[in-house]
């Protein structure tokens, strides 16, 4: 229990901060309330500290949004693993493709006409694929809304 | 954990900016902290408390390392303030925000960081003590002194 005389006479100082932060015991809170009810100086300091806390809380001390941090986190580890993954994938595709083409070209059981026709079908498909891929890559590079999250 | 860290990035950057006095260095410090944590995520023990104060401690330690490495004269505290905006140009809330930034730049880093931890990041005293590595009983008095210093800086700035 707080003595009323003590609560009124002694300034509460740092307890004001504890009070606005909700970090005081019930006894301490009671002391602050009794004191501020009788001391204009401490009451106005309490209000000023409250306003200050609100202002700091509403201020914007960092201009970096979550997307920046996501990007920064992706920076090294993810980029490195992605690069290695792509390297392995493309390397394997190129080797398999090369071996396939070599065997197809030097396959003696197939005539030149058949080879040309089959080659034209696969070559046409590959050209169409690269054309679409190229277009998508150009669009992706120049799309100014690519970072917008929906 | 990655998602949680992403959400903590802004607050950690605000804290690092107040410690280092420079937004770019602060971004590097937070980035380094991300790397440290993601390299060894097992270093965080969830049974010992929430991720937020733990990660803020990692960021703070990184900032202190950076300060130790650079010359004392290389502390560009002025960079905390947006030089392009004067109080006359800003209006209402913007004006107040600018004034807060300017006043923060005028008080010591030790006081700035505790204000950011409590008033900007809303950490309870126990977690602030944990981040700063001080006794819980010290937090209230240090925070109060810091707030009074900030208030004085604001009052001086307004005159």
């Amino acid at each position: 229990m707080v003595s009323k005389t003590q609560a009124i006479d002694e300034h509460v100082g740092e307890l004001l901060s504890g009070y606005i932060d909700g970090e005081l015991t019930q006894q301490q809170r009671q002391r602050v309330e009794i004191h501020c009810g009788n001391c204009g100086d401490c009451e106005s300091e309490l209000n000023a500290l409250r306003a200050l806390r609100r202002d700091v809380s509403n201020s914007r001390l960092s201009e970096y949004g979550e997307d920046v941090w996501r990007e920064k986190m992706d920076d090294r580890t993810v980029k490195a693993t992605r690069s290695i993954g792509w390297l392995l994938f493309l390397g394997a595709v190129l080797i398999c493709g090369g071996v396939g083409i070599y065997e197809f070209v030097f396959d003696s059981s197939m005539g030149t006409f058949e080879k040309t026709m089959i080659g034209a079908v696969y070559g046409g498909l590959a050209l169409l694929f690269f054309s679409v891929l190229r277009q998508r890559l150009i669009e992706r590079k120049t799309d100014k809304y690519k970072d917008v999250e929906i | 954990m990655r998602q949680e860290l992403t959400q903590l990035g802004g607050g950690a950057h605000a804290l690092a900016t107040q410690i280092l006095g420079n937004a770019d260095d602060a971004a590097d410090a937070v980035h380094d902290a991300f790397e440290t944590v993601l390299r060894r995520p097992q270093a965080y023990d969830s049974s010992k408390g929430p991720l937020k104060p733990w990660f803020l401690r990692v960021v703070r330690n990184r900032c202190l390392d950076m300060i130790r490495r650079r010359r004392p004269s290389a502390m560009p505290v002025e960079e905390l303030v947006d030089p392009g905006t004067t109080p006359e140009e800003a209006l209402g809330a913007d004006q107040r925000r600018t004034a807060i930034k300017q006043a923060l730049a005028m008080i010591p880093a030790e006081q700035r960081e505790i204000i950011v931890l409590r008033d900007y990041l809303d950490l309870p005293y126990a977690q602030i003590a944990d981040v700063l590595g001080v006794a819980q009983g010290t937090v209230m008095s240090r925070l109060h002194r810091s707030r009074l210093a900030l208030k004085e800086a604001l009052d001086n700035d307004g005159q």
Side-chain angles (χ1 to χ4, degrees):
Chain A
M1 189 65 191
V2 184
S3 133
K4 196 167 179 177
T5 327
Q6 184 203 7
I8 294 169
D9 288 348
E10 290 172 23
H11 287 302
V12 279
E14 66 189 44
L15 291 182
L16 292 173
S17 276
Y19 185 78
I20 59 172
D21 293 329
E23 294 270 357
L24 298 185
T25 61
Q26 193 185 354
Q27 197 181 16
Q28 288 172 316
R29 270 202 314 276
Q30 199 182 6
R31 190 180 153 202
V32 172
E33 281 161 9
I34 294 173
H35 181 82
C36 288
N38 292 281
C39 174
D41 287 347
C42 284
E43 193 191 6
S44 61
E45 188 164 298
L46 180 68
N47 291 332
L49 290 175
R50 266 200 192 114
L52 187 70
R53 190 188 190 296
R54 195 178 50 240
D55 287 337
V56 174
S57 160
N58 291 337
S59 62
R60 198 168 172 196
L61 299 179
S62 171
E63 303 297 326
Y64 291 52
E66 279 185 25
D67 48 338
V68 175
W69 300 116
R70 201 172 296 122
E71 214 170 88
K72 277 185 180 288
M73 254 193 276
D74 282 348
D75 247 1
R76 289 182 196 171
T77 29
V78 175
K79 272 182 187 168
T81 48
R82 260 182 214 166
S83 306
I84 294 167
W86 273 109
L87 199 72
L88 287 172
F89 175 72
L90 288 174
V93 164
L94 283 174
I95 291 168
C96 289
V99 170
I101 290 168
Y102 176 83
E103 291 202 347
F104 174 70
V105 170
F106 294 99
D107 183 5
S108 53
S109 64
M110 212 181 277
T112 315
F113 177 73
E114 286 167 307
K115 278 184 184 174
T116 313
M117 285 297 108
I118 293 170
V121 169
Y122 282 104
L125 282 175
L127 275 175
L128 286 172
F129 173 76
F130 279 115
S131 160
V132 172
L133 186 69
R134 183 175 169 272
Q135 202 176 359
R136 286 283 168 89
L137 286 174
I138 290 169
E139 273 172 16
R140 196 180 155 187
K141 216 172 185 180
T142 52
D143 182 11
K144 55 183 173 181
Y145 301 110
K146 68 178 176 183
D147 291 331
V148 176
E149 283 181 21
I150 300 163
Chain B
M1 188 186 227
R2 292 179 78 88
Q3 182 58 30
E4 259 189 283
L5 287 175
T6 306
Q7 287 165 355
L8 295 177
H13 183 247
L15 175 68
T17 306
Q18 297 307 318
I19 297 172
L20 295 169
N22 179 305
D24 292 335
D25 287 350
D28 289 343
V30 177
H31 189 196
D32 289 351
F34 277 147
E35 284 199 338
T36 308
V37 173
L38 291 174
R39 209 180 302 129
R40 285 185 65 242
Q42 68 275 15
Y44 167 61
D45 181 359
S46 59
S47 66
K48 287 184 181 166
L51 180 66
K52 188 175 179 178
W54 182 82
F55 179 64
L56 290 174
R57 201 168 61 232
V58 174
V59 172
R60 183 175 181 267
N61 288 341
R62 179 70 197 123
C63 292
L64 297 180
D65 282 347
M66 286 168 84
I67 289 172
R68 264 181 232 121
R69 268 190 230 130
R70 68 188 184 191
R71 284 174 294 131
S73 58
M75 288 278 288
V77 180
E78 300 77 25
E79 287 190 31
L80 287 168
V81 184
D82 178 2
T85 315
T86 66
E88 287 78 22
E89 287 164 353
L91 290 166
D94 277 347
Q95 189 174 16
R96 190 70 180 165
R97 274 197 282 268
T98 307
I100 289 284
K101 277 189 178 183
Q102 284 172 336
L104 276 170
M106 284 187 246
I107 62 174
E110 191 188 73
Q111 296 186 331
R112 286 200 297 267
E113 67 176 353
I114 198 167
I115 288 175
V116 169
L117 287 170
R118 176 60 215 173
D119 296 344
Y120 190 70
L121 299 173
D122 217 25
L123 256 57
Y125 286 6
Q127 290 183 6
I128 294 174
D130 199 23
V131 173
L132 299 179
V134 297
Q136 201 175 322
T138 314
V139 174
M140 186 160 56
S141 53
R142 191 187 284 187
L143 180 62
H144 188 64
R145 277 198 306 276
S146 306
R147 280 175 174 159
L148 292 182
L150 180 64
K151 183 171 162 288
E152 197 184 329
L154 261 175
D155 292 344
N156 290 340
D157 199 35
Q159 281 166 8

